[in-house]
Amino acid sequence: MQNYNQTDRKNINYLILQIGVILFFLLLFGRLIQLQIVQHDVYNPISERNSIRQETVSPARGLVFDRNNQLLVGNQASFTILFTPANFDRSTIPFLSEITGVDQEIIHQRVDEARRFSLHRPSRLLVDVSFDIFSNIQENIWQLPGIDYQVEGKRSYPGGARLSHTLGYLAEITREELAVSDKYRLGDQVGRSGIERIYEPFLRGQTGTQFVTVNAFGRSLGSYNEGFLDINPVKGADLHTTLDLELQLLAEKLMEGKTGGLVAMDPKTGGILAIVSAPDYDNERLAGRIDREYWRALNSDTSTPLFHRAIATTQPPGSTIKPIMGLIGLEAGLITPSTNIYCSGGYQRGRFYRCLRHHGNQNIAQAIETSCNTFFYALMDRYVTRFGLNSWTEKIKSFGIGVTNRIDLNNERSGLVPDSTWFERNFGRWNWGLGDLINLGIGQGAMGASPLQMAVSTAAIANGGELLQPHIVRKISHEDGSYEYTNPEKAPITWVQARNIETVRRGMRKAVTDGSGRHYVNLRDVSISGKTGTAQNPHGQNHGWFISYAPEEDPEIVIAVLLENAGFGSVSAAPIAGLLYEQYFYGEIRRQHVLDMMLNFEPAPFEPQN
């Protein structure tokens, strides 16, 4: 009886278990029918989203051309390794480090940064990797969940011109920049200097979107729905500059091994034809993945190659200020074109202010030709005594000196043209006077200008009294075929009269035909006008200046050259301008001996005076 009951109980338990299993599978099958058939429209899109990844597609960056449509900046292929933090397996970092040659700690840091940015958006892990590393990633992608790759672009410079400070370079976006913009993602490159920075919103283009099917490991399996939902990226706008590639190449060649700045400019439009800051740096080594060792070397270099001397240096302009001084004196009625001031070798006013030599009687045109300091000492004395320092300061600034001229480059400086407030702040209210001001009349003392400022002021003399906004970019050309011009500003210098400008221009022409510019600038077929300058430097060899324009009858080009610690402007800066005029007007260099001299130029040894 007991055995019977036990057998019966087992059969009942077995039956209950069977019924339970059958009910479980019936419920499971019913749920599957509900999900797959009854509620298909609800759950199918969710299922698809779990197997589809939305990716950002970087646009090609805009190109940069010179004024003759020669390519200055282009793009070339660059290999980038991406990863999606949510799918990335940290245990693969040692293997990833092995096949890429990147330290594990660096990979860990980049993974942590990307996780803070977004778990589900792909971020750049390594940029501008070699083709060997790119191939290793492709071959081992199946072992690296969350890792992907893409081909992007990095900057190239097919024209051969360095234009380091003007074109600028790209660098990875910072966290602070990411926090205030939704247009970028971690690892994106943005313009850091030059026109790459100023025109970043145009050059970068518009990102695109593509949807790709992925497997359980997050690995791409191809385009979703044949790309029907994809949004193509829009290439960045192209920049058409005013630069002349051939002139720029020669200017860079002439400035190699020297310290200073050079600006060549169109006096009718303000367009920059060539611009050099020396020493400079190699753009190629800052394209794509920045060479960290090279970057550290640039920042620690005592010659400051990152400093843009053409637009930011503040050296005394020396005698190049004299043409403007002449205009100030003529307009104030202190002198006429025929007024003579006698030069006995200097000017006595409390102390003796020396001139270079005994010039005798000099009118304004002759004083510009011979660079007679005595004439301009006397003129400065008369002007500030009658009208005050601040009036003189205002007039100098109206020619673009001592102010920023709003060129489309970053880090432009205003230089220094002092007024009474400046002197009181730096010397004290009662500790300065006329003796501190007379030197300003020859561009010395508390005064500093850049080659850009001197080019702008010279252009105003060349074009009859119009102040131009200097600019690099003339036109922005968009991918849809539309374009826009930059429309830089122009403004007349209202206090200057044409007849007085002509008087000063006669002196500048004579300075080249008969004065200090005659040896290296006076070309047979081109009428060049200019003014040399030698700025005193208490810390070493003097600085050489030369400002000029040509042709005299209808100026097309202005050139301002500054060579630091190079001695007299007539033998340092002026020959460089002369060679650039040859290139511009003849299309070639005809005086090979002058070219050889400047390529091997070494200033005379500095001999401090006891």
Side-chain angles (χ1 to χ4, degrees), residues 266-384:
D266 185 335
K268 297 177 181 177
T269 66
I272 301 298
L273 301 171
I275 181 167
V276 179
S277 176
D280 61 2
Y281 57 88
D282 186 356
N283 306 57
E284 296 279 2
R285 298 184 69 174
L286 299 183
R289 181 176 54 185
I290 290 180
D291 184 332
R292 298 293 176 185
E293 184 176 342
Y294 181 61
W295 179 246
R296 284 193 295 269
L298 288 177
N299 281 277
S300 61
D301 192 333
T302 56
S303 68
T304 59
L306 294 174
F307 179 56
H308 199 335
R309 286 174 168 83
I311 69 171
T313 195
T314 53
Q315 299 294 354
S319 294
T320 59
I321 203 69
K322 291 175 179 176
I324 302 176
M325 279 296 301
L327 289 173
I328 292 174
L330 289 165
E331 294 289 345
L334 297 176
I335 58 172
T336 68
S338 60
T339 298
N340 284 309
I341 294 177
Y342 185 76
C343 172
S344 61
Y347 182 69
Q348 186 73 46
R349 180 67 159 170
R351 69 176 180 86
F352 192 66
Y353 295 84
R354 294 188 178 278
C355 190
L356 294 176
R357 61 180 183 269
H358 182 165
H359 292 101
N361 282 324
Q362 297 275 282
N363 61 36
I364 179 59
Q366 291 170 329
I368 292 173
E369 173 195 341
T370 63
S371 200
C372 176
N373 287 345
T374 300
F375 188 98
F376 296 98
Y377 287 141
L379 185 57
M380 187 67 179
D381 185 354
R382 295 178 188 181
Y383 191 88
V384 296

Side-chain angles (χ1 to χ4, degrees), residues 546-585:
F546 186 67
I547 60 169
S548 55
Y549 61 89
E552 164 62 30
E553 54 273 15
D554 185 18
E556 298 178 22
I557 178 173
V558 162
I559 299 177
V561 182
L562 165 66
L563 286 190
E564 297 179 16
N565 307 305
F568 292 109
S570 58
V571 295
S572 59
I576 289 178
L579 291 166
L580 291 174
Y581 282 121
E582 284 191 44
Q583 177 64 47
Y584 182 85
F585 288 106

Side-chain angles (χ1 to χ4, degrees), residues 445-557:
M447 192 173 185
S450 68
L452 177 67
Q453 291 171 338
M454 298 314 298
V456 169
S457 65
T458 306
I461 295 172
N463 65 32
E466 193 169 48
L467 191 70
L468 307 176
Q469 181 183 0
H471 57 282
I472 303 292
V473 175
R474 177 180 59 89
K475 183 175 73 172
I476 303 170
S477 177
H478 298 279
E479 185 68 4
D480 62 4
S482 64
Y483 58 87
E484 55 187 295
Y485 288 94
T486 52
N487 295 320
E489 296 179 3
K490 300 180 180 181
I493 303 173
T494 55
W495 61 270
V496 178
Q497 299 181 66
R499 69 173 184 272
N500 291 330
I501 289 179
E502 287 305 313
T503 298
V504 166
R505 285 177 58 162
R506 284 197 300 272
M508 293 179 71
R509 176 65 181 139
K510 291 287 286 184
V512 172
T513 59
D514 300 295
S516 57
R518 67 188 183 278
H519 300 294
Y520 300 110
V521 188
N522 192 23
L523 303 184
R524 179 179 302 174
D525 304 320
V526 181
S527 55
I528 300 170
S529 301
K531 182 72 191 76
T532 59
T534 303
Q536 295 175 10
N537 174 21
H539 307 294
Q541 183 64 278
N542 292 336
H543 307 312
W545 280 96
F546 186 67
I547 60 169
S548 55
Y549 61 89
E552 164 62 30
E553 54 273 15
D554 185 18
E556 298 178 22
I557 178 173

